[in-house]
Structures are given as C-alpha cells and as structure tokens.
C-alpha cells in the first residue's frame, strides 16, 4: 500500500509535465495556490488519485494530509475516476420544487449506479449539484457540457437510452 | 488606450456612439439560463442573417447578459419598440429577420402572453417589469459585457474617476454611509461602516474582496451581474479599495460559474489595458489591481471567514469573530468583504448622490434588492425591486401568480438560511426590519414560490439535507445536530416517526441556532422551525402517521383518457380507454407525473 | 498606556471582575472563581501550544445584554459584559452540544482505556447527562493498530482538533488533518493511511492531549503479562528517568513526587526477575556521546552533533530532513543501550542466552515502542528491547495486580546495570542530556575537572535555548530545543549553513520526557510538567556522583567488557545508523 501512494509511474508523463509547468509559474506563496493547482491537476487527469495528491503535496512542500484534507473538503474535487458522461442533476431549490429528486432517482435506477460513483459500464457518473443558475428551466440537468431543461421523469428514459447507445457505439 | 485622467475618460466617452445608435437595437440574451437553451447558436445565426441581408446599417445586435426574464429564455428584446420575444428557437430566426427586422411586423406567436393583458407587445406593459427599479442591474441586459465601450458610454468609470480625482477616502466612506446601503450578501451590515472600520485600521497592506460565491441554491443574482455587467463590479471594487486603503482586490468566485469567469477575466484585461486597473489610476497615484480566486464547491465558503481561509488555500472552515476580516482578514491583514450586488450599487450612489439612493426603499432599508424569483410561479427570472415592496406584489404582479393550477401556498426567502413566509404575511413589506419582525430574513435573494402541491416537511428536509451536507463539520451543533435533525425529518417522512419527534426537532433546532459557530449552523434550523410554526398539521400528519403517501383517482371525474397511465414511470396505473383508471397505491412513488397531465383534475394528491 | 485603560470590568454570574483587555470569558470566569466546562480548548501556556478552535461548544455561556450564547473559551470579554454561565439558555445549549457528541460516540466506557481518565466521560458526569435524546448514524471507521506505538480509534473522536494542533503547529509533522466535510469529518491521516505508512514520529503528543480514547498507546500489558507468566523467560525490566517522578500521580501523589524505590518494589511484585535502571544506560550514552563529540571536534567532523536519544526526533529527521542524517550522534538511546548490554554483558555474566531474556522497559514515551521495533536496534536477531510499557500502562498493571502502591517499601535496582549518577537523572527533562554530556565532554576535552556542574543556562522551558561553555582554548556552543517545531527551526539553519552550534539537544516532547506521550495525563495543566522537572533536578542534586563517566558500574562495564569508549565493541553494541524516509 505504501508503494501505491508513492508510486507515480501510472500517471501520464506529459500531463505531469504540464502540471509541473503550472506549478513552476506560481509566483506568490505556493500554499495559497493549492486549490488552483488542484483544479488544474484535476483538469489534466480527470480526477485526483492519491498518488497525484501526494505529488502535488511534494511539489508545494505541504504535508499530504493537508492536501488530502483540502481535497476531501471541496465537493468539486474527486478522488475517484469518473464515467464517460457526468450527469449532474440540479438539486437547487427551484429544481427540487419541480421534482428534481424524482428525476435523479430515475436516472440512478436507469444507469444502475450510485450517487457519485462511476457506473459499472464506465459510462456514467451521476451526481446532484446545487443550482446551476438556470432555474428558469427547472428541473435542469447537465450531461457533460450539455444542458437539459424542463426535464420530467418521463423524459429521462429517452435521454439515458440515447447516451447508452452512443456510449456503446464509440467503444 | 490608457485613460490617465478624468478628462481623458470624458473625452473618450464623448466620442463613443450610444449603444442604441441605429434604427433598431436587438438585444439578445446570453445569460446562463438562455445560453443553456442554446441562445449562443441563435445569436450566431442572427448575426449571419443580419450580415447577409445586409441589415447592419439599421440593426445593432447586442449580445447581452441576463435580461431577467429567464423563464422565457432564450429572450430577444427589440428597442426602441420594447418588443420582447421569448422561447426563441433557431427555427424562428428567419421569421424574425424577415418579418420584424426587414418589414417591421411583430411576430406575435413569440410574444409573451400575460395572464390578464393577453399578448404583450411592449415590455413596458409587462407586469413582470412594471414594478421593478434598476440600480444594481442598471446595465444588465442593456450592454454587451464584452465591450468596454458600452460600459463607458453608460457613464462607466466616471464614479471612480471622480472619487480618485476629487475625493478623499473618508469622503467616499461618508457618501456610502449617508446612502444607507446595507450589505446584500445576507447579513445586511451597513456598507459604509464596514468600509470605515477597514479605513481606520493601520496596516502596510489591506485587501478588498468580492464575495461571488453565491451558494444559495436557486439564486443567480450575482452571477447575472458578473456576466452582464462585469465592469461595474471592477469599478466598484476600485472605489472600495480607495475608500478603505487597499491596493489589491480579489474576486472569490465559485468554480461552478465557469461561464461567468471567462467574461470576467476578459473585462479585467480590458480594464487593465485602459488604465482602470494597475498603477496610478486616473493619474492620482493610486494603484489597484484585481485577481480571481476560485472556490471548489463548498457553500460555507460564502461565509466571509471561511472564504478567506479558502482564498489562502485551506479548507473553507469559518473561525470565530472577532477578529472580523476588517481587523484581521486575508493573510492576517485588514480586509473588506462585500457581496457582488452590494458593489453593483456603489458607482450609482457616487454618480447620483446618497440622497437619491436613500430616496428609494424604506426607512431602515434603502435602495433596491435583486431577487431570483423561481419555483411554482409563472414569471421566472431576476427581479430588482425597491425595498418595501410586498410579497403579494412580487408573487402576483411581477411573478404573475402560480404557474400551475394550484394556488400559491408560501414563499421561501433567504434560501437554506431563511424561512417560509405564509400567505398571511404576504402583505409584509420586504425590508430588513419587517422581515426580522416576522422571524424571517432577507438572505441573499433567493425567492422560491411554492404552491399547494408542496409538502412542507419534504421542503424542510430538502433544506436540511443541503445544510448538513454543506456543513463544514467543525463545530458540534452543526456537524452532528443538523444530521440528527435531518434524520428525524427522514424518519418522519418515512412514517417511522413518533409525536415526540416534533418537540425534539424544536429543541434541537433552537439550540443549534444558539450554539453554532457560524451563520450556517446558526440559520440551518430556520426552514424547519418556520415550517413547524406555520404548518404544524403537516408535521403532525407524519408524526401520527396519518399522512397518505399515494395518489388516487376520483372515479367520478376520470374519463379514461389514459394520459396518466402513459406517463406513470412505475406503471402503477391500471385502466382501459374510456374506463375509470385506478392507481395501485402500494406501488405509487408519488412522483406526481399523473397529476400534472390529467385533463380532468381527476387525480387526488395525497 | 495607563493600566486602567487595559482593564475591563465585567461580571460573571453577578460577580464583578476586572480583567485585562483581550481576556477571554473563560479567563474572566476563572478569575471570578466560576467553573465553565471546556472540552476542545487547550492552552499549554509556556509551551506555546494553544488549541482555540472553539468547535465543541460545551463552554457556551449567555451574554445577558444581547441574549446571545457565546463560547467562553474564545470570546473576548467586553466592557460591562454580564455573563451568565448558569442561565437556562446556556445550560441547554451546552447540554445539547454534549448530548450530540455522545449521540455519535460508542460509549463503551467500561472497557475503554480512558475509563475514569476521560474528559468526555467526566463532562457527561458533571453535566448530569442521564439520557441522550438524539440518536442516529454513528461514525464507523476502522481502528488503526498498524503502528507499534499508537492506536487510533476515530469512532471515539470528538473532533476537538487538539491532536491536529499538536501535530501541525507544535510538532510541525503534519501527519494529521481534518478530513472530509460535515458529519463525516474526522481527524485522520492522508488518504486514511495507516499510521505506520506516514511520517508519524510517534511522539505521542496527540495522545497526550486527546480528551478521549480516540488516540492512545498500543497496549503491551498483555504481552508483558504473558512473558511474566512464561517459566522459560528471564524477565528484565528497566525504568526511564522521567517515570519515577510521574508514576505516583496515578496513585494519588502530587506531580513531582519521587517514587523510585516504590517503582522497583512494584516491578518485583509484578514478578520481574531483574530490575535495571535506564539511568545506567543514560550514563553510558553520555560517555559514548561525549566521546563522539570530542572526536568530531578534534578531527573536524560534522558539527553540530545532535543528540539521538529521542526516537521521535530521530524519526522526524529521517522523514523531514533526510539530507542531514550525518548530524545526529550515532549513539543508541539509553533504553536500547540497556537492552543491548542486558542481552550481552549481563547475559554472559549470568549464564543466560539472549533467547531466554525478555527485556521490558518502562518509558514515559510512546515513541520508544516503535524504537524497540527498529531493525537496526537488534543483535543477531534479538531485539535490544522486547516490550515497552508507558508509565500509564505500568500503573494499569500495578492496579490490575491489586498492588497497594502507596504502602510499598523502597527497593534498590539490581546490580550490574542498576547504578546511576545525577547526570543521568536529568535526561528526563529538556536540557538535561546536553548538560550531562557537557559535564563529561568538558573533562574529556580539557582533561581538567569541572568545578561547577550546574549549567543553569541550559535549564528552563523556552522552546529554544542556547549557551556557551568555556573550555579554555575554545568555547563549546550548545543549543537546546524541545518540541519538534522548534527543532525544525534549528535544522533549517543547519541545512542552510547558518548554524554555528557544536552540539544540540533535541527532545520531541514539551519539556522533554517528563512531558512524554506515555506519562499520566496532565489534562492541560502545565504546572504538572514543571513539578516533574524540578523533581529530576532534585534527584541530581542529591546524588553523590553527578558525572556519568564517574559511574562505577559504567567504568566496570568498560573495563570488563566494552574496552574504551568508542571501541569496536562499544560501536557494535551501542551505536546505530539512520536511513532516509519519505515525507508523507
Ligand atoms: C453560510 C453562509 C453563506 C454565505 N454565502 C454568501 C454568499 O454566497 N455570497 C455573499 O455575498 N455572502 C454570503 N454570506 C455572507 C458573508 O459572510 C458576508 O456577510 C458578506 O459577503 C458580506 O458582504 P455584504 O456586507 O456586502 O453583504 C454567507 C454567510 C454565511 C453564514
Ligand atoms: S456552524 Fe456549521 S458550517 Fe459553521 S463552523 Fe460550525 S460546522 Fe462549520
Ligand atoms: S404519482 Fe407517479 S407513481 Fe404515483 S401513480 Fe402518479 S405517475 Fe404513477
Ligand atoms: S388522466 Fe385523468 S382522466 Fe385521464 S385516465 Fe388518468 S385520471 Fe382519468
Ligand atoms: S473515550 Fe471516554 S467516553 Fe468514550 S468510551 Fe472511552 S471512556 Fe467512555
Ligand atoms: S457506571 Fe453504570 S453502566 Fe457503568 S458499570 Fe457502573 S452501573 Fe454499569
Ligand atoms: S505521534 Fe506525534 S507525529 Fe505522530 S501523529 Fe501524533 S503528534 Fe503527530
Ligand atoms: S483524535 Fe482526540 S485529540 Fe484528535 S480530534 Fe479526535 S478527540 Fe480530539
Ligand atoms: S522527548 Fe522523551 S518522551 Fe518524548 S518522544 Fe522523545 S524520548 Fe519519548
Ligand atoms: S435550482 Fe436548478 S438551476 Fe437553479
Ligand atoms: S438569462 Fe436570459 S433572461 Fe435571464
Ligand atoms: S471549549 Fe470552548 S468551544 Fe470547545
């Protein structure tokens, strides 16, 4: 286990170089930049596996526990790999009062996944998010970048089926 | 071009054409809501058509921020007629260009239909806009946020120029104090006094921080200002910096607002290029610049001490006050934290004078407040209203009443920290003190309308789920207490509660309010306690397990149209065409889908 | 400023008090003689260790003016403030916080290592909690027993954060951090790694401040009972200097009560075959260390030389400053020296094989448990030390055996490794090791007898101290640091070439071993540590011999077995090496 955490050989070399470059450009106090660095690292690698967090800690001269404490505090940082499609169902108030919880429930059922965990086929990560500022269209969900507004429970089947199909086709 | 004096700013402004310089100005909304219904494609298409026609000489296409009627998105506004088109799709572009832009004929099918007045040809006739007053949103939806020239033409950076050239810091503070402006981020603290505190601190470094975390679910006021009028924020921060003695500013913005960050960065660059940020602003010797700091998904980071810790790269956990940020803030230095909307008022106050500002609103609450109106209401969008307006006016006149067939039941104000306002209080003027008097609070501007279909216990549970999930987990009452409250609510709604739970909820709620470390915990019980007060019967129905949970069909009314059967996601409705349908109550998940499709109102809610 | 401007008048439960501006409500209440319960709050004044995160909320009081409920531990008093600690509002709020903590707690006091010594349990008693009104999910984390030293049971954690403050701010090790958010928050290691895979130094300072049993020492009492009951084993035990001035506290004596003779007596009653004194090892360490120092000085070796008897400190440098591993002395700690000598010299003399010997030590220290497990500290496959008990564990065994400690007669240590000097005694307090080394090194380097053996400059409680000792043609510059955060500062100087010390003593614990992680809990009262230190200096003062190299048994050991200080055999048995480790 100890080896796992230290071992960075499974991290993509070129992305690591990108990360290094980003860190090298920091002018101020590197500790202050931790959250920005983590955003960047997550952008590069898709998520923040433990060895990557360790790497960031080392580069910023911080204890790993501090970095891990920050990563686990903020909900946008993910320690787990994510599915090909991230389905974010808005659970903001406007969406909730229009039945977003039912929509979420149905999506979890259809994708066969747990909230925040990648589905077994690797296609979906379903999560609830707070208001995305499109309350006019409530209930709202996004799949990767695409926004779906006025989504009723009855619309969900179609949407998911479509992604399942294109997900499989690309494989 | 670098502006190095008030004079050169004015000369430049003089030379610029007004935004509405052509025969027709077409404002196309590119606010988030509209963007998410593909308004950018729409704008692209309009641009192409206008160019191809060519209509460029007569029509000015302005890509604006939110024009506030988000529920109608994507929205187009045409001036000078004031025509508004809603729910415009790509398919409609040709008709708009051919009919309206070329021939001057209004495309009636895209007009908004007012519940009372019918088709509305001009925004001036819309109930939605009538009672509004724009101060903070003055430029929102009226300029292209990407074009600094638009802002300049609307008296942009004039206030900063005047402050730097003609006033001392103390004088600026005095004006803000006289205006009576109070913080719009939720706390309602007088802004002028806050600035004065920081000004009085002596320190080698001070900071001014804009709180753009906007975490309340259902709120999008700040986002709209940042997207629609970023220079106002920049100018206001520069004024605030000058007034408090800071030379560096930060905008802490939630990373979820990725699409707002882009125009904001562009605006910062533009401002820098034109000398509104950087060294020696307006030749006054005053230096000021702004950096963006990103959040990473934590509601509590809206709380100012947590925000500061987050800016420092740490977990966003609040710390006790005092020390206040104005004493010891970012990097331990005196810092002023203000909300986006608070800032958006500043340039207007300087330009028009504190008396002008103070003439709007009520005795203790001056100016306007922006609300994000949403929920079961017909007109959904951003509304800026003078303080003192009543809930009735907002819900029925601006909001156009309930969106569905059920009457309005209550309004939730202030998001997860707020409480519900029942109809008996709908004539309460919305200002800090009146709200306080009925045990509610202004909050940051979320305003959710709920109709009779809303289950208040479920709503309370929803908010508790939110707060306990967003609790930073530092202090006991909030970390464990909100969880326990949620669990009690959960047991209740699962029909596993007991009558004593209601007493327990209240005790726990009141003590969490008292003993929590920060505003999150101190206000987390509000939604529960206020619904417990206002709707005790609903709680009792759960606690005594008399609550029905399934939908049912009124056999006398059902005509057997099969609509309900077709939408039920769990297939628990039985019935043949033209025969009475029946719901299997054990299988019904109470999703309500059948309820909304039944043409005969034959479905009975639990 | 006039004094009057700095004072504030307020009242606590209608008792008027004047306090300095900036005082907390808690301080004002203490002045008024009013007790306010606290839990998360910790202030080890002189030691610069303060946990003021104000998160437990059991100390809340009511401010009569505003009707607000405020945390006494962190809220400053203001002029004219009227504080009520016993209003219904305050009491209810306080109780709610405590009940909530208990609703998320295992509550198995009966079998808990902290039973009757637990701040949470105590509060529950004081606040007359008879019913816990709230129930629901409880934390459910695996218990970490991975290390040889510390057991971590997060399910008993109340998130007071004292440990985090100690580990990050005082020790600057940074192994612990709050993790997760909301209800799931826990004080944990990076990625929830087991402690033995982190850079934990096992200093045990987190343990010594934890109000509950979320952090405790790994229990070795069963293993020791087993050895004691094993006919084939010859059980030897050694007792560290700081134990004898603290153990008594567990039996109702005041801190600083010297109970050396009773400790020996108790160990005999428990059934140990031989009772040796770690102080003998301390004398031996001094001789070897002074020899190494003189050699380094004379031959231009690496300076400064750092003492190496504190295993937490050794771990610290291995993880945090792997590039500086040539600065610590290569001497083993006294514990390991006694172990090594017992399994060789003593074994030979008494016709035992090291395989028959079970070497147990009684230490004020948690880190010594992990030191004993270091591979470097063994001879031909036999560990120098087999089991380490903390002072607290020994007390538990004595109680378990129902030995009436207070009425035990005094007994002396056994011969061969059982005699010591005053120099060895002060090993247990910060500055003591270097003072002892100086007494010997002075004579080695100058060849003259030292006049005054009391080096007062080296004593005290400041985090970093320094002194120069006149050696005639040259001066010896020595530095002292206790708490690892202070050590870090000295090490950074060394790394950056800014240090001009010849020798530095480093102790991981506040005050040195008297404040070790295995000692009876001080519960935030620093005077306890001070009184233990005073006792050690008293022992030193009353000793006929006060210089290590004059210890007759040490001399005998060299003559009969080791040869000269620094000899080949001495090196093999009494010296060790260090290896670089990852910082996590
Ligand atoms: C839990 C919590 C969340 C908050 N979120 C926000 C927020 O998202 N935006 C904001 O401006 N203020 C927020 N506040 C209020 C800020 O702490 C602070 O009072 C405000 O930014 C000050 O600016 P103002 O005086 O201009 O309102 C929040 C407060 C609490 C306790
Ligand atoms: S009230 Fe909640 S959010 Fe605020 S400090 Fe306490 S736990 Fe954190
Ligand atoms: S409420 Fe939903 S689940 Fe129940 S019958 Fe109607 S459609 Fe079906
Ligand atoms: S929708 Fe209404 S009318 Fe139609 S079958 Fe269902 S209950 Fe009957
Ligand atoms: S930690 Fe304290 S309260 Fe908890 S079980 Fe142990 S003795 Fe009891
Ligand atoms: S205190 Fe109570 S629960 Fe504990 S052992 Fe005694 S009787 Fe039993
Ligand atoms: S033993 Fe020392 S180093 Fe290890 S976690 Fe505790 S305080 Fe930190
Ligand atoms: S482990 Fe102990 S000291 Fe650390 S936070 Fe938990 S209860 Fe407090
Ligand atoms: S100072 Fe003493 S008690 Fe503390 S870790 Fe070092 S040797 Fe152990
Ligand atoms: S509440 Fe869903 S987008 Fe705002
Ligand atoms: S985003 Fe277009 S009207 Fe609000
Ligand atoms: S002791 Fe004051 S909050 Fe914990």
């Amino acid at each position: 286990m100890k080896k796992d955490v230290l071992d960075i050989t499974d991290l993509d070399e070129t992305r690591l170089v990108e990360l290094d470059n980003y860190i090298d450009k920091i002018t101020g106090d590197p500790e202050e930049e931790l959250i920005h660095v983590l955003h960047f690292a997550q952008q590069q690698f898709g998520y923040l596996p433990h060895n990557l967090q360790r790497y960031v800690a080392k580069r910023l001269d911080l204890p790993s526990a501090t970095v891990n404490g920050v990563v686990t505090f903020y909900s946008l940082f993910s320690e787990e790999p994510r599915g090909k499609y991230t389905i974010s169902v808005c659970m903001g108030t406007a969406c909730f009062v229009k039945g977003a919880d039912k929509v979420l429930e149905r999506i979890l059922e259809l994708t066969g996944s747990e909230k925040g965990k990648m589905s077994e086929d690797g296609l979906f990560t379903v999560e609830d998010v707070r208001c995305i500022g499109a309350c006019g269209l409530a209930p709202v969900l996004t799949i990767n970048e695409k926004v779906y507004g006025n989504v009723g429970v009855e619309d969900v089947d179609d949407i998911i089926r479509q992604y399942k199909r294109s997900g499989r086709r690309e494989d | 071009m670098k502006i190095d004096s008030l004079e050169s700013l004015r000369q430049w402004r003089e030379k610029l054409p007004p935004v509405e310089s052509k025969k027709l100005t077409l404002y196309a909304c590119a606010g988030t809501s509209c963007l998410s219904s593909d308004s950018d494609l729409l704008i692209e298409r309009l641009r192409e058509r206008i160019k191809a026609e060519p209509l460029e000489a007569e029509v000015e296409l302005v890509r604006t921020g939110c024009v506030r009627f988000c529920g109608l998105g994507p929205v187009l506004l045409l001036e000078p007629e004031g025509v508004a088109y809603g729910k415009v799709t790509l398919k409609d572009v040709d008709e708009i260009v051919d009919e309206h832009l070329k021939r001057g004929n209004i495309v009636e099918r895209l007009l908004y239909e007012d519940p009372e007045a019918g088709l509305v040809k001009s925004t001036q006739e819309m109930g939605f806009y009538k009672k509004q007053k724009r101060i903070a949103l003055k430029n929102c939806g009226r300029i292209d946020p990407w074009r600094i020239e638009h802002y300049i033409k609307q008296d942009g950076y004039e206030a900063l120029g005047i402050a730097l050239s003609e006033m001392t810091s103390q004088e600026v503070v005095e004006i803000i104090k006289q205006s009576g402006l109070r913080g719009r981020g939720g706390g309602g603290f007088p802004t002028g006094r806050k600035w004065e505190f920081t000004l009085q601190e002596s320190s080698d470094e001070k900071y001014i921080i804009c709180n753009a975390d906007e975490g309340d679910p259902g709120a999008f006021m700040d986002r709209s200002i940042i997207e629609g009028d970023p220079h106002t924020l920049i100018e206001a921060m520069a004024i605030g910096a000058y007034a408090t003695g800071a030379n560096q500013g930060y905008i802490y913005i939630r990373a979820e607002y990725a699409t707002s960050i882009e125009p904001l960065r562009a605006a910062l660059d533009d401002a820098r290029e034109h000398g509104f940020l950087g060294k020696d602003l307006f030749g006054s010797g005053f230096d000021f610049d702004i950096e963006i700091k990103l959040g990473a998904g934590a509601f509590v980071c809206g709380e100012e001490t947590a925000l500061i810790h987050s800016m420092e790269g740490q977990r966003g956990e609040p710390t006790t006050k005092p020390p206040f940020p104005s004493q010891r803030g970012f990097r331990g230095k005196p810092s002023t934290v203000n909300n986006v909307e608070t800032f958006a008022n500043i340039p207007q106050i300087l330009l028009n004078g504190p008396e002008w500002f103070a003439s709007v609103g009520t005795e203790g609450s001056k100016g306007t407040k922006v609300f994000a109106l949403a929920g079961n209401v017909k007109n959904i969008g951003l509304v800026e209203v003078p303080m003192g307006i009543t809930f009735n006016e907002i819900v029925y006149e601006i909001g156009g009443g309930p969106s569905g067939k059920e009457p309005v039941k209550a309004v939730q104000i202030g998001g997860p920290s707020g409480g519900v306002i029942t109809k008996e209080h709908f004539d309460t003027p919305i200002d800090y003190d009146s709200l306080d008097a009925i045990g509610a609070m202004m909050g940051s501007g979320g305003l959710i309308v709920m109709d009779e279909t809303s289950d208040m216990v479920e709503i309370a549970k929803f908010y508790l789920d939110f707060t306990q999930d967003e609790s930073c987990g530092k202090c006991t009452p909030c970390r464990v207490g909100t969880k326990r409250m949620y669990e009690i609510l959960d047991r209740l709604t699962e029909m596993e509660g007991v009558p004593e739970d209601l007493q327990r909820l209240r005790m726990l709620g009141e003590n969490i309010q008292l003993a929590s470390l920060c505003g999150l915990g101190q206000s987390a019980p509000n939604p529960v306690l206020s619904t417990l007060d206002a709707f005790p019967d609903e709680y009792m129905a759960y606690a005594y397990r008399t609550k029905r949970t399934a939908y049912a069909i009124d056999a006398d009314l059902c005509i057997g149209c099969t609509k309900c059967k077709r939408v039920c996601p769990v297939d628990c409705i039985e019935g043949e065409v033209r025969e009475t349908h029946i719901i299997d109550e054990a299988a019904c998940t109470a999703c309500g889908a059948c309820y909304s499709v039944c043409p005969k109102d034959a479905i009975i809610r639990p | 400023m006039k004094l009057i401007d700095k004072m504030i008048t307020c009242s606590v439960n209608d008792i008027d008090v004047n306090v300095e501006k900036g005082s907390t409500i808690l301080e004002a209440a203490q002045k008024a003689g009013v007790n306010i319960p606290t839990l998360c709050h910790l202030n080890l004044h002189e030691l610069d260790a303060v946990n003021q995160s104000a998160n437990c909320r059991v100390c809340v009081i009511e401010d009569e003016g505003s009707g607000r409920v405020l945390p006494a531990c962190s809220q400053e008093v203001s002029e004219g403030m009227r504080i009520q600690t016993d209003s219904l509002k305050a009491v209810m709020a306080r109780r709610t916080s405590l009940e909530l903590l208990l609703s998320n707690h295992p509550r198995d006091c009966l079998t808990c290592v902290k039973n009757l010594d637990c701040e949470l349990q105590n509060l529950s008693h004081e606040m007359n909690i008879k019913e816990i009104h709230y129930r629901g999910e409880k934390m459910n984390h695996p218990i970490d027993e991975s290390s040889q030293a510390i057991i971590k049971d997060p399910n008993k954690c109340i998130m007071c954060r004292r440990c985090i403050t100690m580990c990050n701010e005082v020790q600057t090790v940074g192994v612990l951090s709050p993790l997760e958010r909301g209800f799931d928050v826990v004080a944990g290691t990076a990625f929830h790694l087991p402690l033995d895979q982190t850079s934990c130094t096992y200093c045990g300072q987190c343990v010594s401040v934890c109000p509950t049993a979320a952090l405790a020492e790994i229990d070795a009492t069963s293993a020791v009972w087993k050895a004691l009951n094993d006919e084939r084993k010859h059980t030897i035990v050694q007792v560290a200097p700081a134990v004898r001035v603290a153990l008594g506290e567990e039996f109702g004596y005041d801190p600083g009560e010297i109970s050396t003779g009773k400790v020996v007596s108790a160990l005999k009653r428990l059934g140990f075959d031989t009772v040796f004194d770690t102080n003998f090892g301390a004398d031996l360490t001094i001789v070897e260390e002074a020899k190494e120092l003189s050699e380094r000085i004379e031959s231009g070796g690496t300076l400064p030389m750092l003492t190496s008897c504190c295993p937490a400190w050794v771990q610290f440098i291995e993880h945090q400053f792997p590039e500086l591993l040539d600065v610590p002395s290569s001497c083993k700690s006294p514990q390991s020296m006694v172990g090594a000598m017992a399994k060789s010299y003593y074994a030979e003399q008494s016709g035992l094989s090291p395989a028959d010997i079970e070497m147990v030590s009684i230490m004020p220290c948690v880190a010594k448990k992990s030191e004993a497990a270091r591979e470097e500290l063994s001879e031909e496959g036999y560990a120098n030390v087999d089991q380490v008990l903390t002072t607290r564990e020994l007390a538990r065994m004595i109680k378990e055996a129902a030995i009436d400690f207070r009425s035990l007669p005094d007994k002396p240590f056994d011969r061969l490794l059982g005699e010591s000097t005053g120099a060895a005694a002060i090993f247990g307090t910060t500055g003591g090791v270097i003072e002892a080394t100086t007494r010997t090194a002075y004579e080695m380097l100058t060849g003259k007898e030292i006049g005054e053996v009391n080096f007062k400059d080296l004593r005290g409680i400041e985090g970093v101290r320094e002194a120069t000792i006149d050696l005639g043609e040259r001066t010896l510059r020595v530095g002292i640091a206790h708490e690892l955060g202070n050590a870090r500062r000295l090490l950074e100087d060394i790394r950056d070439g800014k240090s001009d010390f010849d020798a530095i003593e480093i102790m991981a614990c506040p005050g040195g071993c008297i404040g070790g992680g295995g000692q009876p809990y001080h519960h935030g009262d620093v005077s306890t540590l001070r009184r233990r230190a005073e006792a050690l200096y008293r022992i030193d003062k009353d000793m006929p011999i006060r210089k290590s190299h004059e210890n007759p048994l040490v001399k005998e050991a060299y003559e009969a077995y080791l040869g000269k200080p620094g000899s080949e055999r001495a090196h093999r048995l009494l010296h060790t090496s260090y290896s670089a480790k990852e910082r996590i």
Side-chain angles (χ1 to χ4, degrees), chain B residues 315 317 483-484 487 515, chain C residues 55 57 103 137 161 180 182:
Chain B
R315 293 162 61 86
E317 292 170 346
K483 173 90 174 175
R484 295 291 175 253
E487 287 169 334
Chain C
N55 57 48
R57 316 307 274 190
S103 78
E137 190 187 328
R161 304 201 178 192
E180 308 293 338

Side-chain angles (χ1 to χ4, degrees), chain C residues 304-325:
Chain C
M305 185 185 84
L306 272 59
T307 59
S308 59
C309 45
C310 168
W313 143 238
V314 167
Q315 284 273 112
F316 183 75
I317 193 169
E318 286 183 327
H319 285 282
Q320 312 277 335
F321 293 88
E323 69 278 23
L324 293 182
L325 292 182

Side-chain angles (χ1 to χ4, degrees), chain B residues 295-311:
Chain B
F299 169 66
V300 66
C301 288
E303 196 282 337
E304 52 195 8
T305 59
L307 179 143
I308 286 168
H309 296 304
S310 183
M311 281 174 57

Side-chain angles (χ1 to χ4, degrees), chain A residues 4 21 34 38 67 103 110-111 123 126 128-129 169:
Chain A
D4 285 350
N21 290 342
L34 175 59
L38 290 171
V67 172
V103 172
L110 289 174
T111 54
L123 280 182
V126 185
D128 50 357
V129 291
R169 208 176 312 122

Side-chain angles (χ1 to χ4, degrees), chain C residues 101-114:
Chain C
L101 283 175
L102 293 172
S103 78
N104 186 25
H105 196 82
R107 313 204 285 269
D108 19 79
C109 303
L110 219 48
T111 51
C112 178
V113 62
K114 271 291 182 72

Side-chain angles (χ1 to χ4, degrees), chain B residues 300 318 470-475 478-479 516-522:
Chain B
V300 66
E470 293 294 336
S471 157
C472 85
K474 185 174 171 180
C475 72
C478 174
R479 179 181 71 243
S516 288
L517 193 155
C518 85
L520 192 152
Q522 286 159 8

Side-chain angles (χ1 to χ4, degrees), chain B residues 29-35 65-71 73-75 220 224 381-382:
Chain B
C29 180
T32 304
S33 220
C34 290
L35 276 183
C66 179
V67 302
R68 292 177 284 148
F69 214 148
C70 312
V75 181
F220 50 95
S224 302
L382 271 192

